[in-house]
Structure formats: structure tokens, C-alpha cells
Amino acid sequence: MGMNKQERPDWTQYFLDIAKAVGRRATCLRRRYGAIIVKDKIIISTGYNGAPRGEANCIDTGICERERLHVPKGQNYELCVAVHAEQNAIINADPVKMEGATIYIVGFNAADGSLASGKPCLLCRRMLRNAKIARVVYYAEDGSVVSCRPDEIRD
């Protein structure tokens, strides 16, 4: 009797799957993002997008300020009450462990669960560089996996 060989995801897929699971905790009405910081195949931090600790979440108030004002994607982030997934992962991590680490980011649309680009915004890219994170891995909107240094990401 032969045993069925189990299908195992590679490390990239494994960590992207975990980042997506983390994003299920996100509290944004528009898009949900999950991020995990990994070093030597060990998860050192996780983060999802949502209101700062102790503040009301958009999913609880039912109000998205950017949606209310019809702000296009990628603009006027200062109107949003949320802290980005990457920012929360950085805040929750040990700075020493982040040096040389990889961050995995997955985003999806809250309305229908379809993939949203996981590309970090300009401010998050600055923070990733300051945290000395070496690589960023995320899904592009078309489902392809992008892997690069934080300073290689362009708009």
C-alpha cells in the first residue's frame, strides 16, 4: 500500500497564507490587510490594519471617513483612523530581530474577499527601511507574488 504524498506549500506560500489569516482580524470596512515579519523561517511579529488600541473600529461604528468623502484609493490616508498592517507588525516587533527579516503582506477587499494589492504605501515603505527589513513579499492585484527590497518598490 502506497501512502499519498501530502501537498506542502513552499515557505513563501505558507507565510502568505498566514498573513492572509492575520488580515481576517482587520477592522477596515474597505480593505483588510495582514502582515507578518519573519526571520530565519520564524514569525517574529504580526499586524493587521485597524484603529489604534482603545479607539473605536470602523467595523463597529459603520463609518469609513475616506469612503464617506469619496476619497480615491491611495489618497488622503491621513483621513483614515487605521494603523496599517505593516506599521502594526513593526510596532509589535523587537527591533533587533527585524534587521534582515522579510515581511509578508496580503490584502483583500472586505466586500467580496477578492485580492487587493499588498504593495506597501510610501509611508510604510519608509518605515520598513527604517526597521531594517530586508525583503517585502506580497500579492499583486493579479495574484502574482512580488518579492523585492523595500527600496525597490515604486508607484
Side-chain angles (χ1 to χ4, degrees):
M1 287 251 176
M3 290 183 36
N4 290 340
K5 185 164 169 43
Q6 181 181 348
E7 279 292 316
R8 291 180 74 201
D10 64 19
W11 287 107
T12 298
Q13 188 61 56
Y14 173 71
F15 289 128
L16 286 169
D17 288 348
I18 294 171
K20 182 170 185 180
V22 170
R24 292 179 54 225
R25 288 280 309 156
T27 62
C28 178
L29 291 166
R30 283 179 140 183
R31 284 178 201 85
R32 299 193 176 158
Y33 285 92
I36 63 170
I37 299 174
V38 176
K39 189 168 186 181
D40 300 325
K41 297 186 173 74
I42 298 168
I43 297 167
I44 60 171
S45 181
T46 68
Y48 54 84
N49 58 319
R53 290 179 178 105
E55 288 189 23
N57 291 305
C58 299
I59 58 168
D60 298 324
T61 64
I63 300 165
C64 170
E65 196 59 22
R66 291 177 67 233
E67 195 84 357
R68 189 179 70 77
L69 297 171
H70 308 289
V71 176
K73 179 180 186 264
Q75 294 179 24
N76 299 97
Y77 283 127
E78 71 278 3
L79 298 173
C80 178
V81 302
V83 177
H84 288 187
E86 305 94 311
Q87 295 168 351
N88 275 322
I90 290 168
I91 289 164
N92 294 330
D94 177 340
V96 174
K97 290 181 180 175
M98 280 191 288
E99 187 169 353
T102 299
I103 188 165
Y104 294 83
I105 307 160
V106 175
F108 50 98
N109 293 300
D112 61 6
S114 64
L115 212 52
S117 175
K119 181 171 83 171
C121 74
L122 185 59
L123 179 58
C124 285
R125 294 194 299 252
R126 289 185 199 131
M127 292 178 76
L128 293 170
R129 288 197 306 271
N130 254 16
K132 299 181 180 177
I133 290 174
R135 295 210 68 72
V136 180
V137 179
Y138 63 90
Y139 283 122
E141 230 166 322
D142 65 3
S144 62
V145 175
V146 178
S147 175
C148 60
R149 293 191 325 261
D151 63 337
E152 291 175 326
I153 301 169
R154 301 283 177 256
D155 282 329

